[in-house]
Amino acid sequence: MKKSGKYAMGRLLAVWMAVGVLSLTAYGGEEDTFVQGTTVNGLGISGMTVEEARSHIGNFYSNEYKLVIKERNGVTETIQGKDIGYTTGLPEGALEEILQKENDAGRVFGPDAGNSYRIQLQSTYSQEALEARIGGLNCMDESSAVVTRDAHVSDYQEGQPFVIVPEVRGNNVYPEKVAQAVREAVTAGEREVSLEEKGCYHQVQVRAEDENLKNLCDTMNRCREMEITYVFGEESEVLKADVICTWLTGTADGEIQLDAGKVAGFVAELAGRHDTAGTARTFRAADGREVSVSGAYGWRIDQGAEAAALAAMVRTGQSQSREPQYATAAALHGEQEWGQTYVEIDLTNQHVYMVKDGAVVWDAPCVTGNEAKGHHTPAGIYTLAYKQQDRVLRGARRADGSYEYESPVSYWMPFNGGIGLHDANWRGSFGGTIYKTNGSHGCVNLPPDRTRALYDLVYQGIPVICYH
């Protein structure tokens, strides 16, 4: 009897446990309430009807909604739903669909049942109030933020080596990214948003251990010992390291960066001290007189090209000697920069000389521009543009297509735009005062029987010096 009693009780307990399991896992039939453990966006609605759940969810988000903004260093800020006029609702039929799904599945519940749902809420709020709250967030206050900064090379200090300044991981944000992340979170009914995960913070791009940065620092320290020597013929000028180092601005791309304004300023000063083009210079004429001449001929540094070349040299960290890059150049540096070979045109005495290696090797009388008609031959230092045989020189073109004049010449040697040396077989005499009332349109007329010899002596680029 004892054995059979235990046996009967065991059978009864097994039946009760089976019934209990069934009661925890399923209910058959249709019901109008949500099963145990049902949540929508983390909010429990177990045992509620559709209308009760809709009201519960709406009230929660309208009265209790808040967005927690997670910031760096454990800092948080909160935007309350009531402060932005927040209300929310579910899409039409969303709750009905969930209830039907649970009924169709046999109303299963328990730890293994998937009764947690995420639904995109349809929220409304005051855009103006939200923007005001966003603008008032502490993280948006740039004045109190710790600015993120890449590791970099220190500024120049006289007598001190360049060193690497470590990076700073600050908390300054991109304001528009913060605003966008908060707007999206509120619209979606999210209860927290991480500014870090949303990429709202300025990030450190270069750290102190960066090899390019280390190499850059080493190169900049070599600049503390370098000099650049500029050579101008027999003269020179030294650009010292203490000046160079004030131009340096270290970056992490492995290449020295320079203050372009300072480099350009130095080159401009260099040009101011050494350019001669356009300045007045003293010329000793063939007859022994000293006259003042000026003009485009001479040395003129190409400041843009030289500034770029100078910056490139500094980046090497190596001492160098160099001549600057010139836009225009003369034959020599020094007082007589046109050298010892040139053409000389005496406008006062109406005479032309060819000087070669310091000696006059050819000369002839000439006729220059007609002063009475304002056709002056300008004084100055020029260079021969080119030379050409058998050329027709023409004046201005008239309305009918003809020219003011047409003059065939055998030898044409221009040196100042349309002004040049050439033979003039229409003249019977040269020199004297002919030019004052019967001169040319500005050219230098030469005797036909003397011009070929000059043509053979001159070459493109030879200096041509006109003076009174």
Side-chain angles (χ1 to χ4, degrees), residues 299-371:
W299 299 100
R300 181 165 62 84
I301 293 174
D302 185 333
Q303 295 188 30
E306 185 53 34
L310 176 55
M313 282 188 294
V314 170
R315 291 188 180 103
T316 69
Q318 304 294 325
S319 295
Q320 300 179 46
S321 294
R322 70 176 274 103
E323 278 193 275
Q325 295 189 48
Y326 290 102
T328 63
L332 299 171
H333 286 281
E335 291 184 2
Q336 191 166 321
E337 59 187 18
W338 41 84
Q340 298 294 314
T341 299
Y342 50 86
V343 176
E344 177 181 337
I345 303 171
D346 185 341
L347 299 172
T348 299
N349 295 312
Q350 294 288 284
H351 211 87
V352 178
Y353 303 90
M354 172 67 204
V355 178
K356 183 177 180 180
D357 298 329
V360 175
V361 296
W362 178 97
D363 71 286
C366 67
V367 176
T368 60
N370 189 327
E371 290 194 348

Side-chain angles (χ1 to χ4, degrees), residues 11 42 51 130 135 155 173 227 238 266 276 302 329 445 447 461-462 465:
R11 292 281 296 173
E51 289 304 319
L130 178 61
D155 294 333
V173 298
E227 292 182 345
V238 178
F266 169 80
T276 59
D302 185 333
N445 293 174
I462 187 173
I465 304 170

Side-chain angles (χ1 to χ4, degrees), residues 159-405:
Q160 299 296 320
F162 290 102
V163 297
I164 294 177
V165 179
E167 68 276 8
V168 176
R169 185 177 183 269
N171 62 352
N172 56 317
V173 298
Y174 295 103
E176 186 49 44
K177 287 187 177 182
V178 172
Q180 187 62 26
V182 172
R183 292 186 199 112
E184 291 175 355
V186 170
T187 301
E190 300 291 343
R191 285 185 265 181
E192 68 176 32
V193 61
S194 169
L195 298 188
E196 192 79 70
E197 292 176 3
K198 294 294 184 179
C200 296
Y201 288 101
H202 289 262
Q203 301 293 326
V204 172
Q205 303 296 324
V206 181
R207 304 188 181 278
E209 59 271 18
D210 186 278
E211 289 299 322
N212 285 337
L213 186 61
K214 292 178 181 179
N215 293 336
L216 175 64
C217 188
D218 291 342
T219 303
M220 291 175 71
N221 277 316
R222 289 200 301 272
C223 291
R224 297 178 63 244
E225 310 297 330
M226 75 181 297
E227 292 182 345
I228 295 176
T229 302
Y230 275 98
V231 179
F232 304 91
E234 299 298 319
E235 299 181 359
S236 63
E237 182 173 331
V238 178
L239 172 58
K240 294 187 175 296
D242 58 351
V243 175
I244 293 173
C245 286
T246 64
W247 301 347
L248 306 184
T249 58
T251 63
D253 60 1
E255 183 178 71
I256 291 175
Q257 299 298 309
L258 298 96
D259 185 320
K262 290 182 178 179
V263 177
F266 169 80
V267 173
E269 292 175 1
L270 194 71
R273 291 190 292 272
H274 297 280
D275 281 2
T276 59
T279 64
R281 283 147 283 177
T282 300
F283 173 71
R284 183 175 293 278
D287 62 5
R289 289 181 297 141
E290 287 190 348
V291 295
S292 178
V293 291
S294 62
Y297 182 87
W299 299 100
R300 181 165 62 84
I301 293 174
D302 185 333
Q303 295 188 30
E306 185 53 34
L310 176 55
M313 282 188 294
V314 170
R315 291 188 180 103
T316 69
Q318 304 294 325
S319 295
Q320 300 179 46
S321 294
R322 70 176 274 103
E323 278 193 275
Q325 295 189 48
Y326 290 102
T328 63
L332 299 171
H333 286 281
E335 291 184 2
Q336 191 166 321
E337 59 187 18
W338 41 84
Q340 298 294 314
T341 299
Y342 50 86
V343 176
E344 177 181 337
I345 303 171
D346 185 341
L347 299 172
T348 299
N349 295 312
Q350 294 288 284
H351 211 87
V352 178
Y353 303 90
M354 172 67 204
V355 178
K356 183 177 180 180
D357 298 329
V360 175
V361 296
W362 178 97
D363 71 286
C366 67
V367 176
T368 60
N370 189 327
E371 290 194 348
K373 294 184 177 181
H375 299 314
H376 301 282
T377 302
I381 310 176
Y382 309 96
T383 55
L384 196 70
Y386 60 91
K387 63 180 185 177
Q388 182 181 11
Q389 291 184 249
D390 300 324
R391 173 73 175 265
V392 177
L393 307 180
R394 294 183 173 92
R397 194 166 189 169
R398 299 187 182 100
D400 62 2
S402 63
Y403 296 93
E404 291 183 354
Y405 65 86

Side-chain angles (χ1 to χ4, degrees), residues 416-460:
N416 180 15
I419 296 175
L421 298 138
H422 63 80
D423 52 306
N425 58 16
W426 55 89
R427 292 190 182 277
S429 60
F430 296 84
T433 59
I434 297 171
Y435 73 101
K436 290 187 176 183
T437 58
N438 191 28
S440 70
H441 289 86
C443 286
V444 180
N445 293 174
L446 297 172
D449 61 342
R450 301 284 294 139
T451 309
R452 174 60 186 265
L454 177 63
Y455 185 87
D456 290 341
L457 289 168
V458 299
Y459 51 86
Q460 182 180 7

